[in-house]
């Protein structure tokens, strides 16, 4: 294995290994893969490549930790204490984690420092608070029985996460699962395994019993597929493409494991002419260009009411063209690099298809610079609503703008998608805001804002954007099942 080419990477990732049963180990095959810095296209470090046999070992460790280890038998409050300790360790190492995430993913350091890492810590702290508050009910069903419910963990959870918010997605998955008393095998995305490995080290430092958290980096069709199909896994949670979400659901059918999926989107951002237009322009910028557009709820379909459209898109293109793009480690950078060569090519392909389909390119449309996977913030107008750029998830800094007339058309166009993850509406008319919020088929609707998130507020998709809700009290439903107990009194 090659050593790191970048100075000051944490030792745990140089090279990275699998974290199984509380120890860092080589993959059984001895194979490894490289993690790339997308801003330079250079190798950051190599990482041991987990496959089916390593997943078997990790599932066995998680099973033993669940069946015979202290974790599910511990006082719930003590599980909460460990989660809180992990939250504190993430905060204490925030700068190092932010730099590592930025190097591995290509996103700006301002984002990892202010969003990804602090929010990951907050998610662990939030679910630490839930650990001793997950309880059943007594039910006065019949006079001759005492009947109550217990909320019990599923057992071993498989969790497969994407590369767009690597540490934060690990937190969304791990924290509620652990608070409920499950044990976990986590497979980070092959593009961005590094912060999950550093997190594993912090898990050990916090004092979690061995086997409670296992981290197995590897590829989707090998390690990921083995985890999804594994008969020893009781629950599988996945965030990623809708295409792979379908594969996960099929793979889970073998032992009918419980499934939750957070998938793609093509979220409508709807601006009425009566909105605060300056605020809406800034919201549209944030909605599509945040995180280089690599956001499942990106506002990639922008509908502007006809009378405001031309002025709006002109302002939008002006701000988009002025965003500062470049070195993700520079604190003033606003737009970094796309995560990988594959995503870079995919996005440029969509831009090309938009031009071919006759859409008007208002700004951007090309690679930025000559090295690194940088793509300019791109605004299309005059887009045919059946064009690929109007219907398919691009997952890049590319927005398609459309016009509409009136509330009914806004709702119909907004809902004209197989996806239903998020939506936004901008208006000063409170009735219109509520009517549209209720009519849109999406798991989240923002009014006069975009990308508002909080750990306490559930998030997830309608339609082909997924099933189940993460965050908030709702995530506890994903990681528990209910047992009814009947006690005869006569
Ligand atoms: P993907 O869905 O293939 O990858 C996400 C995770 O699933 C990774 O950990 C990957 O290793 C794993 N995976 C892949 N194939 C698998 C399989 N057969 N069984 C089990 N696990 C598997 O996404 P990818 O290929 O990285 O990106 C493709 C597109 O997916 C993006 O352009 C974007 O449109 C969408 N995407 C959506 C995300 C979201 O947050 N909703 C996140 C990442 C990608
Ligand atoms: Mg894939």
């Amino acid at each position: 294995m090659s050593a790191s080419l970048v100075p000051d990477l944490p030792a745990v990732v140089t090279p990275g290994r699998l974290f199984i049963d509380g120890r860092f180990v080589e993959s059984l095959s001895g194979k490894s893969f490289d993690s790339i810095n997308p801003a330079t296209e250079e190798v950051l470090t190599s990482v041991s490549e987990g496959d089916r046999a390593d997943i078997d070992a990790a599932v066995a460790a998680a099973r033993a930790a669940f069946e015979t280890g202290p974790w599910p038998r511990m006082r719930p409050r003590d599980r909460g204490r460990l989660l809180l300790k992990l939250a504190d360790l993430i905060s204490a190492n925030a700068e190092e984690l932010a730099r590592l995430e930025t190097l591995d993913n290509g996103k700006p350091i301002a984002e990892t420092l202010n969003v990804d890492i602090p929010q990951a810590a907050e998610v662990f702290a939030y679910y630490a608070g839930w650990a001793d508050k997950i309880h059943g009910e007594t039910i006065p069903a019949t006079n001759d029985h005492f009947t109550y419910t217990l909320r019990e963990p599923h057992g071993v959870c498989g969790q497969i996460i994407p590369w767009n918010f690597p540490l934060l997605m690990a937190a969304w998955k791990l924290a509620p699962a652990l608070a409920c008393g499950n044990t976990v095998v986590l497979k980070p995305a092959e593009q961005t395994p590094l912060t999950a490995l550093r997190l594993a080290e912090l898990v050990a430092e916090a004092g979690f019993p061995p086997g409670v958290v296992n981290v197995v980096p590897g590829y989707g069709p090998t390690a990921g597929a083995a985890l999804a199909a594994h008969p020893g896994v009781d629950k599988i949670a996945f965030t990623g493409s809708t295409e792979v979400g379908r594969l996960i659901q099929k793979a889970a059918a073998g032992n009918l494991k419980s499934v939750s999926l957070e998938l793609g989107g093509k979220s409508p951002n709807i601006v009425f002419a009566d909105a605060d237009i300056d605020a809406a322009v800034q919201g549209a910028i944030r909605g599509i260009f945040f995180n280089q557009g690599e956001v499942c709820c990106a506002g990639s379909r922008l509908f502007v009411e006809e009378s405001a459209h031309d002025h709006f898109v002109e302002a939008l293109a002006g701000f988009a063209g002025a965003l500062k793009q470049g070195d993700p480690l520079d604190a003033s950078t606003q737009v970094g690099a796309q995560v990988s060569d594959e995503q870079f090519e995919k996005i440029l392909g969509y831009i090309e298809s938009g031009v071919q389909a006759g859409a008007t390119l208002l700004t951007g449309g090309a690679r930025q610079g000559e090295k690194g996977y940088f793509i300019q913030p791109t605004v299309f107008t005059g887009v045919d609503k059946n064009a690929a750029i109007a219907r398919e998830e691009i997952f890049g800094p590319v927005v398609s703008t459309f016009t509409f007339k009136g509330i009914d058309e806004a709702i119909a166009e907004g809902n004209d998608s197989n996806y239903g993850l998020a939506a936004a509406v901008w208006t000063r008319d409170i009735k219109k805001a509520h009517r549209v919020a209720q009519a849109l088929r999406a798991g989240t609707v923002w009014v006069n804002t975009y990308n508002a998130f909080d750990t306490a507020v559930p998030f997830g998709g309608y339609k082909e954007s997924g099933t189940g809700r993460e965050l908030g009290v709702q995530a506890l439903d994903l990681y528990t099942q209910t047992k009814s107990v009947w006690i005869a009194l006569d």
Side-chain angles (χ1 to χ4, degrees), residues 190-258:
E190 58 271 28
Q191 296 85 350
T192 55
L194 302 187
T195 48
L197 294 176
R198 182 71 178 103
L199 180 69
E201 197 176 35
L202 297 178
V203 163
E205 187 179 337
F208 283 77
V212 171
V213 176
N214 305 274
V215 180
V216 183
Y219 290 100
T222 53
L227 189 57
H230 206 291
V233 171
D234 302 300
K235 192 240 156 26
I236 186 91
F238 170 78
T239 298
S241 61
T242 292
E243 180 195 355
V244 173
R246 285 188 233 281
L247 296 177
I248 303 277
Q249 186 128 314
K250 282 191 196 133
N255 69 340
L256 289 170
K257 57 175 70 68
S258 165

Side-chain angles (χ1 to χ4, degrees), residues 70-410:
W71 185 247
R73 281 150 211 94
M74 200 180 262
R75 274 201 321 169
R77 188 162 305 147
D78 292 334
R79 283 203 297 269
R81 276 181 210 275
L82 279 173
L83 285 166
L84 199 53
K85 198 160 169 195
L86 183 57
D88 288 343
L89 284 170
I90 292 169
S91 299
N93 293 281
E95 285 190 15
E96 183 204 84
L97 285 163
R99 179 170 177 274
L100 191 58
E101 197 81 298
T102 287
L103 286 169
D104 209 14
N105 169 279
K107 64 171 73 191
I109 190 81
E111 273 176 37
T112 49
L113 266 180
N114 295 313
V115 181
D116 295 69
I117 310 304
Q119 283 194 14
E122 203 168 282
V123 170
F124 281 106
Y126 173 83
Y127 286 103
W130 270 116
D132 60 359
K133 300 171 192 71
I134 302 163
H135 45 65
E137 301 172 309
T138 59
I139 304 172
T142 71
N143 289 336
D144 48 7
H145 295 91
F146 172 54
T147 312
Y148 64 93
T149 59
L150 296 169
R151 301 277 302 275
E152 296 189 335
H154 284 286
V156 176
C157 299
Q159 303 186 318
I160 301 173
I161 56 171
W163 40 260
N164 52 342
F165 295 90
L167 188 74
L168 187 56
M169 289 301 102
W172 282 29
K173 294 279 180 287
L174 286 168
L178 296 173
C180 295
N182 297 279
T183 60
V184 176
V185 177
L186 177 79
K187 194 205 81 65
E190 58 271 28
Q191 296 85 350
T192 55
L194 302 187
T195 48
L197 294 176
R198 182 71 178 103
L199 180 69
E201 197 176 35
L202 297 178
V203 163
E205 187 179 337
F208 283 77
V212 171
V213 176
N214 305 274
V215 180
V216 183
Y219 290 100
T222 53
L227 189 57
H230 206 291
V233 171
D234 302 300
K235 192 240 156 26
I236 186 91
F238 170 78
T239 298
S241 61
T242 292
E243 180 195 355
V244 173
R246 285 188 233 281
L247 296 177
I248 303 277
Q249 186 128 314
K250 282 191 196 133
N255 69 340
L256 289 170
K257 57 175 70 68
S258 165
V259 180
S260 51
L261 304 170
E262 203 260 271
L263 308 175
K266 193 75 185 174
S267 297
N269 188 8
I270 300 168
V271 182
F272 286 94
D274 65 10
D276 175 342
I277 294 294
D278 291 344
V281 169
Q282 294 310 319
I285 292 275
R286 264 202 323 283
I288 185 64
F289 300 125
F290 174 63
N291 208 45
Q292 300 70 244
E294 294 172 343
V295 182
C296 48
C297 53
S300 51
R301 292 187 298 142
L302 176 60
F303 297 92
V304 185
E305 201 164 18
E306 201 169 46
S307 61
H309 176 270
D310 293 356
H311 160 69
F312 190 99
V313 296
E314 194 181 313
L316 180 76
F319 282 108
L323 289 170
K324 188 168 177 219
Q325 184 164 30
D327 179 5
L329 287 170
D330 180 333
S332 65
T333 292
Q334 294 170 295
V335 184
Q338 309 305 136
V339 74
S340 66
D341 187 27
E342 190 185 346
Q343 291 300 310
F344 177 77
E345 295 296 343
K346 175 183 161 182
I347 297 161
L348 289 176
Y350 271 115
I351 293 173
E352 177 60 29
S353 87
V355 172
Q356 296 283 320
T360 305
L361 194 53
L362 279 185
T363 187
R367 138 174 247 177
Q368 172 77 34
E370 272 146 33
K371 204 157 179 45
Y373 308 128
F374 294 93
I375 295 179
Q376 297 165 346
T378 297
V379 179
F380 276 111
T381 189
V383 182
D384 173 359
K385 72 174 193 178
N386 293 314
I389 59 166
R391 305 205 74 83
E392 296 171 18
E393 181 173 58
I394 300 176
F395 227 64
V398 182
V399 64
S400 296
T401 65
F402 309 86
T403 63
F404 69 92
K405 282 188 212 154
I407 185 167
D408 293 338
E409 192 181 342

